[in-house]
Amino acid sequence: MTTVIDGKQAAASVIEAVKAAAAVLESEAGVKTGLAVVIVGDDPASHAYVNSKSKMAKECGFKSVQHTLPAETTQEELARLVASLNDDPSIHGILVQLPLPKHLNSDAIIQSIRPEKDVDGLHVVNAGKLATGDLETGLISCTPAGAML
């Protein structure tokens, strides 16, 4: 027997749940969820994707901050930005848009994001938790999370 999944309806229910949870967190704890998105370079597809992420974050009631860096950004400059976002208590999640320009070491940057702020779930801690079935304490990347839903 075949089950047809209504992806638009499933997405809408997830968005509504996130909006409600963000509103409760803000009203009960006084915490506005903060998301920082970092993009390096001028890839049009990446910019479109990042813009949609930022728009959705705002729609869900998050504080959304976008850092757009030139393609010439150095490894050290990007690492400093990620470190500052790690240390910023108003930022709860960090997304570094991939791919990064070829001269940058993507893995080093992704692994420098604190696991608890790694929204993409790419840090080895979060990937390991997903691989071992620990769905309670790790952050799950959007693609596996969507498949699981």
Side-chain angles (χ1 to χ4, degrees), residues 21-27 29-35 57-58 60-64 89-93:
V24 167
L25 182 63
E26 190 168 4
S27 68
V31 174
K32 187 172 186 89
T33 304
L35 175 68
K58 288 176 184 170
C60 288
F62 294 7
K63 167 189 171 183
S64 180
S90 73
I91 298 298
H92 304 96

Side-chain angles (χ1 to χ4, degrees), residues 37-43 46-47 50 66-82 84-85 95-97 99-101 103-104 109:
V37 180
V38 178
I39 184 164
V40 183
D42 54 8
D43 178 66
S46 289
H47 277 275
V50 162
Q66 183 172 322
H67 295 271
T68 303
L69 305 174
E72 305 77 36
T73 299
T74 66
Q75 187 79 22
E76 295 73 24
E77 290 168 330
L78 183 54
R80 275 195 301 276
L81 174 59
V82 170
S84 72
L85 296 170
L95 294 166
V96 175
Q97 179 63 36
L100 291 173
H103 70 281
L104 296 172
I109 294 300

Side-chain angles (χ1 to χ4, degrees), residues 79-139:
R80 275 195 301 276
L81 174 59
V82 170
S84 72
L85 296 170
N86 276 331
D87 292 340
D88 185 341
S90 73
I91 298 298
H92 304 96
I94 302 169
L95 294 166
V96 175
Q97 179 63 36
L98 300 176
L100 291 173
K102 296 196 183 303
H103 70 281
L104 296 172
N105 181 337
S106 300
D107 190 54
I109 294 300
I110 296 304
Q111 298 313 313
S112 72
I113 299 171
R114 288 189 187 148
E116 63 272 17
K117 291 190 177 193
D118 169 34
V119 176
D120 279 327
L122 297 175
H123 190 283
V124 293
V125 169
N126 291 318
K129 287 181 178 190
L130 177 62
T132 60
D134 180 355
L135 306 180
E136 298 300 316
T137 66
L139 294 177

